[in-house]
Amino acid sequence: MITRGRLRRLSLRWRITVAFLGGALAVSALVAGTTYFLVERYLQEQRVQDSLAQAYGSLRAAQRYLADLQPEEDVSPSRLTQLLGERTGEAVVVREGQPFPSAFGITLGAVPAGLARAVEAGRVGYATTTTTPAQLGFGSPVPRAEDLEGFFF
């Protein structure tokens, strides 16, 4: 038979054990959550930086193509789209409101509105799409070609 004093000691041990387990679980969850959010942020920033480096390389290739043209030569939106598409996979060059995509699935509707406004204002920019999975898009006005409104990739 268990005496009343013995029950109190068992329940105190039980409470201490449960409190210890609860505290350990809370600390473990806090460490895991913090690690997850820090690593997720770092990996996302790293992906953006890698994409920016690739985009700058593509912009330099387009800039070299445009610089090599003779003053009287017309800028070919198809050639510029092909050049950008070779380096980035997908690109759209816009000439007088008409898109010249490097693939069938690319439309101007896929370009984020804020990015399109930035390019129309003459700025280079990038934005993340709202599609799943999210994609990083880049846009720039086309130098040396007044009839080309911009290119996006």
Side-chain angles (χ1 to χ4, degrees), residues 72-133:
E72 66 277 354
E73 275 186 274
D74 187 33
V75 176
S76 166
S78 300
R79 176 64 185 125
L80 190 55
T81 300
Q82 179 186 8
L83 181 68
L84 289 169
E86 288 172 358
R87 295 187 55 92
T88 63
E90 299 177 348
V92 178
V93 175
V94 182
R95 177 185 227 165
E96 298 171 356
Q98 180 182 2
F100 289 85
S102 63
F104 288 112
I106 306 169
T107 64
L108 285 179
V111 176
L115 179 58
R117 284 192 300 274
V119 172
E120 285 174 9
R123 297 188 314 263
V124 175
Y126 68 92
T128 306
T129 63
T130 57
T131 60
T132 304

Side-chain angles (χ1 to χ4, degrees), residues 2-52:
I2 300 176
T3 63
R4 188 173 194 170
R6 180 94 170 130
L7 282 175
R8 285 187 185 160
R9 271 189 273 150
L10 288 176
S11 66
L12 179 61
R13 287 180 189 161
W14 177 251
R15 285 184 285 185
I16 290 172
T17 301
V18 169
F20 179 77
L21 289 175
L25 181 64
V27 168
S28 296
L30 179 67
V31 168
T34 303
T35 302
Y36 173 79
F37 288 115
L38 289 175
V39 168
E40 181 187 37
R41 177 185 290 169
Y42 172 77
L43 290 176
Q44 186 174 9
E45 287 176 7
Q46 195 64 34
R47 186 174 60 192
V48 169
Q49 292 303 318
D50 291 344
S51 296
L52 280 171

